[in-house]
Amino acid sequence: MTDPQQYPAQPQNPGYPQGQPYPQYAAQPSTRPSGGSLGRIAFVLALVALGVGLVVNLFAPLFYASIGYDVADAISTVIGGFVLLANAAALVLGLIAIRRTPPHLLAAIAIGIAGASIAVRLASWVSNLFFYIGF
C-alpha cells in the first residue's frame, strides 16, 4: 500500500507547459511627467541670464566712457530688466520641475542661481534708487 503522506506531483504552473514562465506585462507608465527636461531648460535659462548680467556689469565702465553716462545707464537698466525677467522665468520653471518626478539636480541649481540673481538685482536697484533720491 502507498504511504498517505506522498501525493502525486502537481504541475508548478497550471495551464502553462513546463519550463515556460508566466507572461510578462509592461510596467505602468508614471502619471507625473519627468522634471528632467524642464529642469534643464530652467538651468540653461538661469546660466544665460547670469552670463548676460555679468557681461553688462563688466562692460558698464566702457559704456560710460564711450557713449555717455545717461545712455549707458538706460541700456544697462533695460538689459537688467530683461535679465530679471529671465531669472524670474528660470525660477518658476525650476520650481515646476522640482515638483515633478526626478531628476531634480539641475532644477535645484537653477532655483539657487535664479533666486540669488533676483535678490542681487533687486538690492542693486534699491541701492541705486537711494543714490538717485539722495539719502
Short mmCIF file of all heavy atoms in Angstrom, two decimals, residues 69-134:
data_model
loop_
_atom_site.label_atom_id
_atom_site.label_comp_id
_atom_site.label_asym_id
_atom_site.label_seq_id
_atom_site.Cartn_x
_atom_site.Cartn_y
_atom_site.Cartn_z
N TYR A 69 27.09 108.64 -19.90
CA TYR A 69 26.52 108.03 -18.71
C TYR A 69 25.02 107.79 -18.86
O TYR A 69 24.53 106.73 -18.50
CB TYR A 69 26.79 108.92 -17.49
CG TYR A 69 26.26 108.33 -16.22
CD1 TYR A 69 26.92 107.29 -15.58
CD2 TYR A 69 25.05 108.76 -15.67
CE1 TYR A 69 26.43 106.72 -14.42
CE2 TYR A 69 24.54 108.20 -14.53
CZ TYR A 69 25.23 107.18 -13.90
OH TYR A 69 24.73 106.62 -12.77
N ASP A 70 24.28 108.77 -19.38
CA ASP A 70 22.82 108.64 -19.45
C ASP A 70 22.40 107.49 -20.38
O ASP A 70 21.52 106.69 -20.03
CB ASP A 70 22.20 109.95 -19.92
CG ASP A 70 22.34 111.05 -18.89
OD1 ASP A 70 22.44 110.72 -17.69
OD2 ASP A 70 22.33 112.24 -19.28
N VAL A 71 23.02 107.41 -21.54
CA VAL A 71 22.67 106.35 -22.49
C VAL A 71 23.09 104.98 -21.95
O VAL A 71 22.33 104.01 -22.02
CB VAL A 71 23.33 106.62 -23.86
CG1 VAL A 71 23.07 105.48 -24.82
CG2 VAL A 71 22.84 107.93 -24.44
N ALA A 72 24.29 104.90 -21.39
CA ALA A 72 24.77 103.62 -20.85
C ALA A 72 23.91 103.18 -19.67
O ALA A 72 23.64 101.98 -19.52
CB ALA A 72 26.22 103.76 -20.43
N ASP A 73 23.48 104.13 -18.84
CA ASP A 73 22.62 103.79 -17.71
C ASP A 73 21.26 103.29 -18.19
O ASP A 73 20.73 102.32 -17.64
CB ASP A 73 22.46 104.99 -16.79
CG ASP A 73 21.80 104.63 -15.48
OD1 ASP A 73 22.11 103.54 -14.95
OD2 ASP A 73 20.98 105.43 -14.99
N ALA A 74 20.72 103.90 -19.22
CA ALA A 74 19.44 103.45 -19.77
C ALA A 74 19.57 102.05 -20.38
O ALA A 74 18.70 101.19 -20.15
CB ALA A 74 18.94 104.45 -20.81
N ILE A 75 20.63 101.82 -21.13
CA ILE A 75 20.84 100.49 -21.73
C ILE A 75 21.02 99.44 -20.64
O ILE A 75 20.46 98.34 -20.71
CB ILE A 75 22.04 100.52 -22.69
CG1 ILE A 75 21.70 101.35 -23.93
CG2 ILE A 75 22.45 99.11 -23.10
CD1 ILE A 75 22.88 101.59 -24.84
N SER A 76 21.80 99.79 -19.62
CA SER A 76 22.03 98.85 -18.52
C SER A 76 20.73 98.54 -17.77
O SER A 76 20.51 97.39 -17.38
CB SER A 76 23.06 99.44 -17.56
OG SER A 76 23.25 98.60 -16.46
N THR A 77 19.88 99.53 -17.61
CA THR A 77 18.60 99.31 -16.93
C THR A 77 17.67 98.41 -17.76
O THR A 77 17.03 97.51 -17.22
CB THR A 77 17.91 100.66 -16.64
OG1 THR A 77 18.78 101.44 -15.83
CG2 THR A 77 16.60 100.45 -15.91
N VAL A 78 17.62 98.65 -19.06
CA VAL A 78 16.76 97.82 -19.93
C VAL A 78 17.26 96.38 -19.95
O VAL A 78 16.47 95.43 -19.80
CB VAL A 78 16.70 98.42 -21.35
CG1 VAL A 78 16.05 97.44 -22.31
CG2 VAL A 78 15.95 99.74 -21.34
N ILE A 79 18.56 96.20 -20.12
CA ILE A 79 19.11 94.84 -20.12
C ILE A 79 18.92 94.19 -18.75
O ILE A 79 18.61 92.99 -18.65
CB ILE A 79 20.58 94.85 -20.55
CG1 ILE A 79 20.68 95.26 -22.02
CG2 ILE A 79 21.22 93.48 -20.36
CD1 ILE A 79 22.09 95.44 -22.52
N GLY A 80 19.08 94.97 -17.70
CA GLY A 80 18.84 94.45 -16.35
C GLY A 80 17.40 94.00 -16.15
O GLY A 80 17.15 93.01 -15.46
N GLY A 81 16.46 94.71 -16.76
CA GLY A 81 15.06 94.29 -16.69
C GLY A 81 14.84 92.96 -17.39
O GLY A 81 14.12 92.09 -16.88
N PHE A 82 15.46 92.78 -18.56
CA PHE A 82 15.35 91.51 -19.26
C PHE A 82 16.01 90.38 -18.47
O PHE A 82 15.50 89.25 -18.43
CB PHE A 82 15.94 91.60 -20.66
CG PHE A 82 15.07 92.34 -21.64
CD1 PHE A 82 15.59 93.38 -22.38
CD2 PHE A 82 13.74 92.00 -21.80
CE1 PHE A 82 14.79 94.07 -23.27
CE2 PHE A 82 12.93 92.68 -22.70
CZ PHE A 82 13.46 93.73 -23.44
N VAL A 83 17.13 90.67 -17.85
CA VAL A 83 17.81 89.67 -17.03
C VAL A 83 16.94 89.28 -15.84
O VAL A 83 16.83 88.10 -15.49
CB VAL A 83 19.19 90.19 -16.58
CG1 VAL A 83 19.78 89.31 -15.49
CG2 VAL A 83 20.13 90.27 -17.76
N LEU A 84 16.28 90.27 -15.24
CA LEU A 84 15.39 89.99 -14.11
C LEU A 84 14.21 89.11 -14.56
O LEU A 84 13.85 88.16 -13.86
CB LEU A 84 14.88 91.29 -13.50
CG LEU A 84 14.00 91.15 -12.26
CD1 LEU A 84 14.83 90.62 -11.09
CD2 LEU A 84 13.37 92.47 -11.90
N LEU A 85 13.63 89.41 -15.71
CA LEU A 85 12.53 88.59 -16.23
C LEU A 85 12.99 87.17 -16.56
O LEU A 85 12.27 86.20 -16.29
CB LEU A 85 11.92 89.25 -17.46
CG LEU A 85 11.13 90.53 -17.22
CD1 LEU A 85 10.67 91.13 -18.53
CD2 LEU A 85 9.94 90.27 -16.31
N ALA A 86 14.17 87.05 -17.14
CA ALA A 86 14.71 85.71 -17.45
C ALA A 86 14.97 84.93 -16.16
O ALA A 86 14.70 83.72 -16.10
CB ALA A 86 15.98 85.83 -18.27
N ASN A 87 15.48 85.60 -15.14
CA ASN A 87 15.71 84.92 -13.87
C ASN A 87 14.40 84.51 -13.22
O ASN A 87 14.30 83.44 -12.61
CB ASN A 87 16.52 85.80 -12.92
CG ASN A 87 17.99 85.76 -13.22
OD1 ASN A 87 18.53 84.72 -13.55
ND2 ASN A 87 18.64 86.89 -13.12
N ALA A 88 13.37 85.36 -13.33
CA ALA A 88 12.06 85.01 -12.78
C ALA A 88 11.49 83.80 -13.51
O ALA A 88 10.92 82.89 -12.89
CB ALA A 88 11.11 86.20 -12.87
N ALA A 89 11.65 83.76 -14.84
CA ALA A 89 11.18 82.61 -15.61
C ALA A 89 11.94 81.35 -15.23
O ALA A 89 11.35 80.27 -15.09
CB ALA A 89 11.32 82.89 -17.10
N ALA A 90 13.26 81.46 -15.04
CA ALA A 90 14.06 80.30 -14.63
C ALA A 90 13.64 79.82 -13.24
O ALA A 90 13.59 78.61 -12.99
CB ALA A 90 15.54 80.65 -14.65
N LEU A 91 13.33 80.76 -12.36
CA LEU A 91 12.90 80.39 -11.01
C LEU A 91 11.57 79.64 -11.06
O LEU A 91 11.40 78.60 -10.41
CB LEU A 91 12.79 81.64 -10.13
CG LEU A 91 12.40 81.43 -8.68
CD1 LEU A 91 13.48 80.64 -7.95
CD2 LEU A 91 12.16 82.76 -8.00
N VAL A 92 10.62 80.14 -11.85
CA VAL A 92 9.31 79.48 -11.96
C VAL A 92 9.46 78.11 -12.60
O VAL A 92 8.88 77.12 -12.12
CB VAL A 92 8.34 80.39 -12.74
CG1 VAL A 92 7.08 79.63 -13.12
CG2 VAL A 92 7.99 81.62 -11.93
N LEU A 93 10.23 78.02 -13.68
CA LEU A 93 10.43 76.71 -14.34
C LEU A 93 11.13 75.73 -13.40
O LEU A 93 10.80 74.54 -13.38
CB LEU A 93 11.24 76.88 -15.62
CG LEU A 93 10.53 77.56 -16.79
CD1 LEU A 93 11.49 77.75 -17.95
CD2 LEU A 93 9.33 76.76 -17.22
N GLY A 94 12.09 76.22 -12.63
CA GLY A 94 12.77 75.35 -11.68
C GLY A 94 11.84 74.84 -10.59
O GLY A 94 11.90 73.67 -10.19
N LEU A 95 10.96 75.72 -10.11
CA LEU A 95 10.00 75.29 -9.09
C LEU A 95 9.00 74.29 -9.64
O LEU A 95 8.61 73.34 -8.95
CB LEU A 95 9.27 76.51 -8.52
CG LEU A 95 10.11 77.42 -7.63
CD1 LEU A 95 9.34 78.69 -7.27
CD2 LEU A 95 10.56 76.69 -6.38
N ILE A 96 8.59 74.47 -10.90
CA ILE A 96 7.69 73.49 -11.51
C ILE A 96 8.41 72.16 -11.69
O ILE A 96 7.85 71.09 -11.42
CB ILE A 96 7.16 74.02 -12.86
CG1 ILE A 96 6.22 75.21 -12.62
CG2 ILE A 96 6.45 72.93 -13.64
CD1 ILE A 96 5.82 75.93 -13.89
N ALA A 97 9.68 72.21 -12.13
CA ALA A 97 10.44 70.98 -12.35
C ALA A 97 10.73 70.24 -11.05
O ALA A 97 10.79 69.01 -11.03
CB ALA A 97 11.74 71.29 -13.08
N ILE A 98 10.90 70.97 -9.98
CA ILE A 98 11.19 70.34 -8.67
C ILE A 98 9.97 69.55 -8.18
O ILE A 98 10.11 68.57 -7.46
CB ILE A 98 11.60 71.44 -7.67
CG1 ILE A 98 12.97 71.32 -7.07
CG2 ILE A 98 10.73 71.51 -6.46
CD1 ILE A 98 14.02 70.55 -7.30
N ARG A 99 8.77 69.96 -8.58
CA ARG A 99 7.55 69.28 -8.15
C ARG A 99 7.28 68.00 -8.95
O ARG A 99 6.45 67.19 -8.55
CB ARG A 99 6.34 70.22 -8.31
CG ARG A 99 6.43 71.52 -7.58
CD ARG A 99 5.86 71.50 -6.26
NE ARG A 99 4.53 70.91 -6.31
CZ ARG A 99 3.79 70.72 -5.25
NH1 ARG A 99 4.24 71.06 -4.09
NH2 ARG A 99 2.61 70.17 -5.35
N ARG A 100 7.96 67.85 -10.07
CA ARG A 100 7.77 66.66 -10.90
C ARG A 100 8.70 65.54 -10.43
O ARG A 100 9.45 65.70 -9.47
CB ARG A 100 8.03 67.00 -12.36
CG ARG A 100 6.99 67.95 -12.92
CD ARG A 100 7.19 68.18 -14.36
NE ARG A 100 6.12 69.02 -14.90
CZ ARG A 100 6.02 69.32 -16.16
NH1 ARG A 100 6.90 68.88 -17.04
NH2 ARG A 100 5.03 70.07 -16.59
N THR A 101 8.65 64.43 -11.16
CA THR A 101 9.49 63.29 -10.78
C THR A 101 10.96 63.60 -11.04
O THR A 101 11.28 64.49 -11.82
CB THR A 101 9.07 62.05 -11.57
OG1 THR A 101 9.18 62.32 -12.97
CG2 THR A 101 7.65 61.65 -11.25
N PRO A 102 11.88 62.88 -10.40
CA PRO A 102 13.32 63.16 -10.56
C PRO A 102 13.77 63.04 -12.00
O PRO A 102 13.08 62.42 -12.80
CB PRO A 102 13.97 62.08 -9.71
CG PRO A 102 12.94 61.66 -8.74
CD PRO A 102 11.63 61.84 -9.43
N PRO A 103 14.86 63.62 -12.38
CA PRO A 103 15.95 64.20 -11.62
C PRO A 103 15.68 65.65 -11.23
O PRO A 103 15.05 66.40 -11.97
CB PRO A 103 17.14 64.12 -12.58
CG PRO A 103 16.53 64.21 -13.94
CD PRO A 103 15.19 63.53 -13.82
N HIS A 104 16.17 66.04 -10.06
CA HIS A 104 15.93 67.37 -9.51
C HIS A 104 17.18 68.23 -9.43
O HIS A 104 17.08 69.40 -9.06
CB HIS A 104 15.35 67.26 -8.10
CG HIS A 104 13.98 66.67 -8.07
ND1 HIS A 104 13.49 65.99 -7.00
CD2 HIS A 104 12.98 66.66 -8.99
CE1 HIS A 104 12.27 65.58 -7.24
NE2 HIS A 104 11.94 65.97 -8.44
N LEU A 105 18.34 67.70 -9.76
CA LEU A 105 19.59 68.43 -9.53
C LEU A 105 19.66 69.72 -10.32
O LEU A 105 19.92 70.79 -9.74
CB LEU A 105 20.79 67.54 -9.87
CG LEU A 105 22.16 68.20 -9.68
CD1 LEU A 105 22.37 68.51 -8.22
CD2 LEU A 105 23.25 67.33 -10.22
N LEU A 106 19.43 69.69 -11.62
CA LEU A 106 19.53 70.90 -12.42
C LEU A 106 18.45 71.91 -12.05
O LEU A 106 18.69 73.12 -12.07
CB LEU A 106 19.45 70.56 -13.92
CG LEU A 106 20.64 69.80 -14.47
CD1 LEU A 106 20.43 69.49 -15.94
CD2 LEU A 106 21.92 70.57 -14.26
N ALA A 107 17.27 71.42 -11.71
CA ALA A 107 16.20 72.32 -11.28
C ALA A 107 16.58 73.02 -9.98
O ALA A 107 16.33 74.22 -9.82
CB ALA A 107 14.89 71.56 -11.12
N ALA A 108 17.17 72.30 -9.05
CA ALA A 108 17.58 72.90 -7.78
C ALA A 108 18.69 73.93 -7.99
O ALA A 108 18.68 74.99 -7.36
CB ALA A 108 18.04 71.81 -6.81
N ILE A 109 19.63 73.62 -8.86
CA ILE A 109 20.70 74.59 -9.16
C ILE A 109 20.11 75.83 -9.82
O ILE A 109 20.50 76.96 -9.51
CB ILE A 109 21.79 73.93 -10.03
CG1 ILE A 109 22.50 72.84 -9.25
CG2 ILE A 109 22.79 74.97 -10.51
CD1 ILE A 109 23.44 72.01 -10.09
N ALA A 110 19.16 75.63 -10.73
CA ALA A 110 18.52 76.77 -11.40
C ALA A 110 17.77 77.63 -10.40
O ALA A 110 17.81 78.87 -10.49
CB ALA A 110 17.56 76.26 -12.48
N ILE A 111 17.10 77.02 -9.43
CA ILE A 111 16.40 77.79 -8.41
C ILE A 111 17.39 78.62 -7.60
O ILE A 111 17.15 79.80 -7.31
CB ILE A 111 15.58 76.85 -7.49
CG1 ILE A 111 14.40 76.28 -8.25
CG2 ILE A 111 15.11 77.57 -6.24
CD1 ILE A 111 13.68 75.18 -7.51
N GLY A 112 18.53 78.04 -7.24
CA GLY A 112 19.53 78.77 -6.48
C GLY A 112 20.13 79.92 -7.25
O GLY A 112 20.26 81.04 -6.73
N ILE A 113 20.51 79.68 -8.51
CA ILE A 113 21.10 80.74 -9.33
C ILE A 113 20.10 81.86 -9.57
O ILE A 113 20.41 83.04 -9.40
CB ILE A 113 21.62 80.17 -10.66
CG1 ILE A 113 22.81 79.26 -10.43
CG2 ILE A 113 21.99 81.29 -11.62
CD1 ILE A 113 23.24 78.51 -11.67
N ALA A 114 18.88 81.49 -9.97
CA ALA A 114 17.87 82.50 -10.29
C ALA A 114 17.45 83.28 -9.04
O ALA A 114 17.31 84.50 -9.09
CB ALA A 114 16.65 81.84 -10.93
N GLY A 115 17.28 82.59 -7.93
CA GLY A 115 16.90 83.28 -6.70
C GLY A 115 17.96 84.26 -6.23
O GLY A 115 17.66 85.39 -5.84
N ALA A 116 19.21 83.82 -6.27
CA ALA A 116 20.30 84.71 -5.86
C ALA A 116 20.44 85.89 -6.83
O ALA A 116 20.67 87.03 -6.40
CB ALA A 116 21.61 83.93 -5.78
N SER A 117 20.28 85.63 -8.12
CA SER A 117 20.39 86.71 -9.10
C SER A 117 19.27 87.73 -8.94
O SER A 117 19.49 88.94 -9.07
CB SER A 117 20.38 86.15 -10.52
OG SER A 117 21.50 85.34 -10.73
N ILE A 118 18.07 87.26 -8.66
CA ILE A 118 16.95 88.18 -8.44
C ILE A 118 17.20 89.02 -7.20
O ILE A 118 16.99 90.24 -7.21
CB ILE A 118 15.63 87.39 -8.33
CG1 ILE A 118 15.24 86.83 -9.69
CG2 ILE A 118 14.51 88.27 -7.78
CD1 ILE A 118 14.06 85.87 -9.65
N ALA A 119 17.67 88.39 -6.14
CA ALA A 119 17.93 89.14 -4.90
C ALA A 119 19.02 90.20 -5.11
O ALA A 119 18.87 91.34 -4.66
CB ALA A 119 18.34 88.17 -3.79
N VAL A 120 20.08 89.84 -5.82
CA VAL A 120 21.17 90.79 -6.07
C VAL A 120 20.70 91.93 -6.97
O VAL A 120 21.01 93.10 -6.73
CB VAL A 120 22.39 90.06 -6.66
CG1 VAL A 120 23.40 91.04 -7.23
CG2 VAL A 120 23.03 89.18 -5.61
N ARG A 121 19.93 91.60 -8.00
CA ARG A 121 19.44 92.63 -8.93
C ARG A 121 18.51 93.61 -8.21
O ARG A 121 18.62 94.83 -8.38
CB ARG A 121 18.73 91.96 -10.11
CG ARG A 121 18.19 92.86 -11.15
CD ARG A 121 19.22 93.53 -12.00
NE ARG A 121 20.12 92.56 -12.61
CZ ARG A 121 21.18 92.91 -13.31
NH1 ARG A 121 21.46 94.16 -13.53
NH2 ARG A 121 21.98 92.00 -13.80
N LEU A 122 17.60 93.10 -7.40
CA LEU A 122 16.69 93.98 -6.67
C LEU A 122 17.43 94.82 -5.64
O LEU A 122 17.13 96.01 -5.46
CB LEU A 122 15.58 93.17 -6.02
CG LEU A 122 14.58 92.53 -6.97
CD1 LEU A 122 13.55 91.70 -6.20
CD2 LEU A 122 13.89 93.57 -7.83
N ALA A 123 18.40 94.24 -4.94
CA ALA A 123 19.18 95.01 -3.98
C ALA A 123 19.98 96.10 -4.68
O ALA A 123 20.11 97.22 -4.16
CB ALA A 123 20.11 94.08 -3.19
N SER A 124 20.50 95.80 -5.85
CA SER A 124 21.24 96.80 -6.63
C SER A 124 20.33 97.95 -7.04
O SER A 124 20.71 99.12 -6.96
CB SER A 124 21.87 96.13 -7.85
OG SER A 124 22.42 97.09 -8.70
N TRP A 125 19.14 97.62 -7.50
CA TRP A 125 18.22 98.68 -7.92
C TRP A 125 17.77 99.53 -6.74
O TRP A 125 17.62 100.74 -6.87
CB TRP A 125 17.02 98.08 -8.63
CG TRP A 125 17.32 97.70 -10.06
CD1 TRP A 125 18.46 97.95 -10.74
CD2 TRP A 125 16.46 97.01 -10.94
NE1 TRP A 125 18.37 97.45 -12.01
CE2 TRP A 125 17.15 96.87 -12.17
CE3 TRP A 125 15.18 96.48 -10.83
CZ2 TRP A 125 16.60 96.24 -13.27
CZ3 TRP A 125 14.64 95.84 -11.94
CH2 TRP A 125 15.34 95.74 -13.13
N VAL A 126 17.54 98.91 -5.58
CA VAL A 126 17.15 99.69 -4.39
C VAL A 126 18.28 100.61 -3.96
O VAL A 126 18.05 101.78 -3.63
CB VAL A 126 16.71 98.74 -3.25
CG1 VAL A 126 16.58 99.48 -1.94
CG2 VAL A 126 15.40 98.07 -3.61
N SER A 127 19.52 100.12 -3.98
CA SER A 127 20.64 100.99 -3.59
C SER A 127 20.82 102.12 -4.59
O SER A 127 21.13 103.27 -4.19
CB SER A 127 21.93 100.18 -3.45
OG SER A 127 22.36 99.72 -4.71
N ASN A 128 20.63 101.87 -5.89
CA ASN A 128 20.70 102.94 -6.88
C ASN A 128 19.56 103.93 -6.71
O ASN A 128 19.75 105.14 -6.91
CB ASN A 128 20.68 102.37 -8.30
CG ASN A 128 21.99 101.72 -8.67
OD1 ASN A 128 23.02 102.01 -8.07
ND2 ASN A 128 21.94 100.84 -9.65
N LEU A 129 18.40 103.46 -6.32
CA LEU A 129 17.27 104.35 -6.07
C LEU A 129 17.58 105.29 -4.91
O LEU A 129 17.30 106.50 -4.99
CB LEU A 129 16.01 103.53 -5.78
CG LEU A 129 14.74 104.31 -5.46
CD1 LEU A 129 14.30 105.09 -6.71
CD2 LEU A 129 13.64 103.37 -5.00
N PHE A 130 18.16 104.78 -3.85
CA PHE A 130 18.55 105.63 -2.73
C PHE A 130 19.61 106.65 -3.15
O PHE A 130 19.62 107.78 -2.69
CB PHE A 130 19.06 104.80 -1.55
CG PHE A 130 17.97 104.09 -0.80
CD1 PHE A 130 18.21 102.85 -0.23
CD2 PHE A 130 16.71 104.64 -0.67
CE1 PHE A 130 17.21 102.19 0.46
CE2 PHE A 130 15.70 103.99 0.01
CZ PHE A 130 15.95 102.76 0.58
N PHE A 131 20.49 106.24 -4.05
CA PHE A 131 21.53 107.15 -4.53
C PHE A 131 20.89 108.29 -5.34
O PHE A 131 21.26 109.44 -5.20
CB PHE A 131 22.54 106.39 -5.39
CG PHE A 131 23.58 107.26 -6.03
CD1 PHE A 131 24.59 107.83 -5.27
CD2 PHE A 131 23.52 107.53 -7.39
CE1 PHE A 131 25.54 108.63 -5.87
CE2 PHE A 131 24.47 108.33 -7.99
CZ PHE A 131 25.48 108.89 -7.22
N TYR A 132 19.92 107.95 -6.20
CA TYR A 132 19.26 108.96 -7.01
C TYR A 132 18.39 109.90 -6.18
O TYR A 132 18.31 111.09 -6.46
CB TYR A 132 18.42 108.32 -8.11
CG TYR A 132 19.21 107.73 -9.22
CD1 TYR A 132 18.94 106.45 -9.69
CD2 TYR A 132 20.25 108.43 -9.83
CE1 TYR A 132 19.67 105.89 -10.72
CE2 TYR A 132 20.99 107.89 -10.85
CZ TYR A 132 20.69 106.62 -11.30
OH TYR A 132 21.42 106.08 -12.30
N ILE A 133 17.74 109.38 -5.15
CA ILE A 133 16.89 110.21 -4.31
C ILE A 133 17.74 111.13 -3.44
O ILE A 133 17.37 112.27 -3.20
CB ILE A 133 15.94 109.33 -3.45
CG1 ILE A 133 14.93 108.65 -4.36
CG2 ILE A 133 15.24 110.14 -2.40
CD1 ILE A 133 14.04 107.66 -3.65
N GLY A 134 18.86 110.64 -2.99
CA GLY A 134 19.77 111.48 -2.22
C GLY A 134 19.82 111.17 -0.74
O GLY A 134 20.15 112.02 0.06
#
